[in-house]
Amino acid sequence: MNAPAGVQVIVVGAGPVGQSAALLLARWGIQVLVLDRRAGRDSTGSKSICQQRDVLDIWAAAGAGKIAEEGLAWTTARTYYRDRELFSWSFEREGPLPACVNISQTRTEQILDEAIAAQPLIEVRWDHEVTGLDQDPSGVTVRCGQRSLRASYALVCAGARAQGVRQALGVSFDGETFDDQFLICDIKADLPGWENERRFYFDPLWNPGRQVLIHPCPGGTFRIDWQIAPDFIPTKADISGKIGQIIGDRPYELLWHSTYRFHSRIASRMRVGRVLLAGDSAHLVAPFGARGLNSGVPDAENAAWKLAFVLNGWAGEGLLESYHAERHAAARENLEITGATMRFLAPRTVAERMRRRAVLEGGLVAEVDSGRFAEPFWYVDSPLTTPEPTRPFGGRPPKGALCVPAPGVILPDVGLSGGRLREFCRDGFLVLLGDMCDSRLFAQVLGKVITAPLAVRGLAEMDGTGSLAERLGAGPDEAWLIRPDSHIAAIIPHAGPDSVAAAVRRVLGETIGGTA
């Protein structure tokens, strides 16, 4: 069977990253074929549960805002050493969307499937395992057994089991696998006081020498993760005993359980010609800090708008090469952060074990590492970003705080009378102008030199209260260029149309070579 006529992108993998990519591509008018090796959708299991604010924003743009609505917005994280609470912290409510929600991956996929079913530009085919992949200057041929499918580009979101595709592309996947296993259980129980709290236990008496993590989920369910020995095979009695040690003699229902090991790996390339890798196909990280799916979905968004711009004739191959530059840097940052976490959670040397004990027994809160929560990657050093010396990147803010806007940083999501600020960013480039800039002049000049979708708006007109410039910290003579993924490409003081046009050309990848 051939691909439907007009298919422009084949997405390999129908998990949340592939689903997100398909929806975002279709939003740009791109026809997509999604392939998955499985016979159908998995129906149980929480899997990836903790979804960060900026990913919820992406899903809202993709037509899956129900994920944020149905998810449980937990507020407090408590960390214990044995039976002693070391510290707690709470998310600050900034912007219209919650800082994060917990919702099972199974339900997330169902909501994304509903959005896909309503999108005529997407076709999903199950039982299509990719067995080969070839590309030439005009497109990509994807083979599934005896079936050959053709498209202009392929986006591989096939999860960790994408070794065959990576090998076909000549891409290595270096890294390591951690010895210890983790046992996951989804339970339904009445646990008063735990409904909006995440609890992390170092070395509890009921799991000596290892960790336990408990997350609340919607509908009175809880997800529990135990670190267990490499050779331990839990029986039903083991699982029942472990649950009882945590919740006591309360009644509960065991909904699902599984075991897994952590990996820390990264692909050597995330773009090879007409093929892009995203999500677990390109990088694997330990889940403490929820940096797996919360980095895979931004991969999908980054790839989708760039593929769409190239396919629609608005940009050249240089823009596609920026996908590797930006998202590979994001993956490296996540590996560094999660690697440090795993060295604290599962120390491998005498020195690491001694340091961990000293930190925990001494109550050195600032040095306790149970996972830094997922954050968007900021494209400060991207070849698409126009730096501005008067707006330097101030570095990562304290836990839970928002970053001061600067070129490369994601735009704060501010509530407006007509919706959220980021909702105005999704249809192309957005230029926000201070009061001293003439919106009509900018629109006239930019419209003559740029074919990509672009809107020019005064900051004052965006917000009926006139306070948006103050809330963002924008000057009256400044122009802010915002990318379709809501990242700030440039902040230009004393702005004129020509300087903004130069920044737009840069964010279209015109200064980047197109070879992979």
Side-chain angles (χ1 to χ4, degrees):
M1 183 182 295
N2 294 323
V7 165
Q8 295 163 285
V9 178
I10 291 175
V11 173
V12 181
V17 175
Q19 291 172 293
S20 301
L23 286 165
L24 292 164
L25 284 163
R27 192 176 184 278
W28 289 104
I30 303 302
Q31 189 168 347
V32 184
L33 175 63
V34 182
L35 308 176
D36 198 284
R37 63 181 179 81
R38 297 170 294 174
R41 178 71 62 206
D42 300 332
S43 59
T44 59
S46 57
K47 302 176 187 175
S48 180
I49 62 167
C50 195
Q51 316 307 348
Q52 192 255 1
R53 173 193 288 120
D54 303 288
V55 171
L56 299 176
D57 174 43
I58 295 171
W59 279 331
K66 286 173 64 176
I67 298 173
E69 296 168 5
E70 292 189 14
L72 186 148
W74 59 276
T75 55
T76 301
R78 298 189 184 278
T79 300
Y80 298 83
Y81 175 51
R82 296 181 178 165
D83 59 352
R84 173 168 58 94
E85 183 173 338
L86 292 176
F87 62 90
S88 67
W89 59 272
S90 298
F91 286 111
E92 296 181 14
R93 179 72 189 215
E94 295 282 356
L97 291 172
C100 76
V101 301
N102 281 355
I103 184 171
S104 76
Q105 182 174 323
T106 299
R107 180 56 185 151
T108 294
E109 290 172 343
Q110 290 173 349
I111 294 171
L112 292 169
D113 277 339
E114 292 168 4
I116 286 172
Q119 177 49 261
L121 290 175
I122 303 173
E123 179 181 339
V124 180
R125 294 184 184 176
W126 300 95
D127 197 21
H128 276 61
E129 182 173 3
V130 173
T131 55
L133 187 151
D134 299 297
Q135 56 179 313
D136 54 57
S138 63
V140 180
T141 300
V142 176
R143 296 191 303 278
C144 301
Q146 299 301 312
R147 298 164 290 196
S148 292
L149 305 166
R150 182 79 175 170
S152 298
Y153 294 91
L155 178 56
V156 179
C157 312
R161 295 184 178 89
Q163 185 60 23
V165 174
R166 288 191 296 265
Q167 288 178 342
L169 295 171
V171 171
S172 64
F173 202 47
D174 296 334
E176 61 180 326
T177 297
F178 293 91
D179 293 334
D180 275 17
Q181 298 184 93
F182 285 79
L183 167 66
I184 317 171
C185 289
D186 294 344
I187 68 170
K188 187 176 181 65
D190 183 17
L191 301 176
W194 292 31
E195 302 94 332
N196 295 295
E197 294 185 355
R198 184 223 72 174
R199 298 189 172 206
F200 192 105
Y201 291 86
F202 285 102
D203 194 19
L205 297 177
W206 25 271
N207 198 36
R210 291 185 166 88
Q211 279 68 244
V212 176
L213 176 63
I214 306 166
H215 266 280
C217 294
T221 63
F222 293 84
R223 155 79 169 268
I224 310 176
D225 291 40
W226 290 265
Q227 183 183 7
I228 57 177
D231 56 351
F232 183 64
I233 302 175
T235 65
K236 289 185 178 179
D238 291 328
I239 293 171
S240 176
K242 285 181 176 297
I243 294 172
Q245 288 173 326
I246 294 174
I247 70 171
D249 58 1
R250 294 184 179 91
Y252 70 91
E253 178 184 1
L254 177 62
L255 304 175
W256 174 78
H257 73 277
S258 183
T259 58
Y260 65 101
R261 280 187 169 87
F262 293 162
H263 307 272
S264 180
R265 299 186 180 276
I266 186 170
S268 55
R269 288 285 304 178
M270 290 181 65
R271 179 218 172 193
V272 180
R274 291 178 171 269
V275 182
L276 280 61
L277 301 175
D280 286 354
S281 296
H283 43 76
L284 293 172
V285 298
F288 294 104
R291 290 175 177 265
L293 185 53
N294 282 306
S295 63
V297 174
D299 286 350
E301 181 184 39
N302 194 295
W305 79 263
K306 292 174 180 178
L307 284 168
F309 271 48
V310 171
L311 285 164
N312 285 320
W314 303 327
E317 292 291 311
L319 183 61
L320 278 191
E321 180 56 16
S322 76
Y323 171 74
H324 169 77
E326 292 186 341
R327 295 312 301 167
H328 200 258
R332 291 198 306 269
E333 179 183 82
N334 281 327
L335 282 173
E336 179 181 347
I337 291 171
T338 57
T341 297
M342 287 309 296
R343 287 191 294 275
F344 191 83
L345 297 183
R348 295 180 172 183
T349 67
V350 172
E352 287 178 352
R353 287 192 290 271
M354 290 178 63
R355 174 183 175 270
R356 171 190 151 112
R357 169 173 275 188
V359 168
L360 293 173
E361 292 187 350
L364 304 178
V365 171
E367 298 182 42
V368 174
D369 189 348
S370 59
R372 176 159 182 154
F373 190 66
E375 305 149 306
F377 182 77
W378 295 318
Y379 304 126
V380 177
D381 298 318
S382 167
L384 305 187
T385 300
T386 299
E388 171 47 50
T390 65
R391 291 277 191 169
F393 174 57
R396 289 284 174 186
K399 182 189 295 185
L402 296 180
C403 187
V404 176
V409 171
I410 198 165
L411 185 72
D413 195 15
V414 176
L416 303 174
S417 57
R420 296 185 292 110
L421 177 57
R422 288 195 199 162
E423 291 175 320
F424 294 90
C425 303
R426 301 297 182 179
D427 297 324
F429 296 126
L430 173 65
V431 176
L432 298 174
L433 298 174
D435 292 343
M436 294 174 61
C437 301
D438 186 338
S439 297
R440 288 175 295 180
L441 175 61
F442 276 77
Q444 288 173 0
V445 174
L446 294 172
K448 294 177 181 178
V449 298
I450 298 159
T451 60
L454 182 143
V456 179
R457 304 284 297 272
L459 284 161
E461 70 175 285
M462 293 287 291
D463 184 1
T465 67
S467 64
L468 181 57
E470 181 180 351
R471 294 158 77 184
L472 294 178
D477 67 343
E478 288 183 341
W480 289 36
L481 173 60
I482 313 300
R483 301 165 25 148
D485 56 9
S486 296
H487 284 78
I488 303 169
I491 298 178
I492 304 172
H494 317 298
D498 291 341
S499 59
V500 175
V504 173
R505 292 190 183 99
R506 180 167 182 155
V507 81
L508 284 170
E510 294 183 10
T511 61
I512 305 173
T515 58

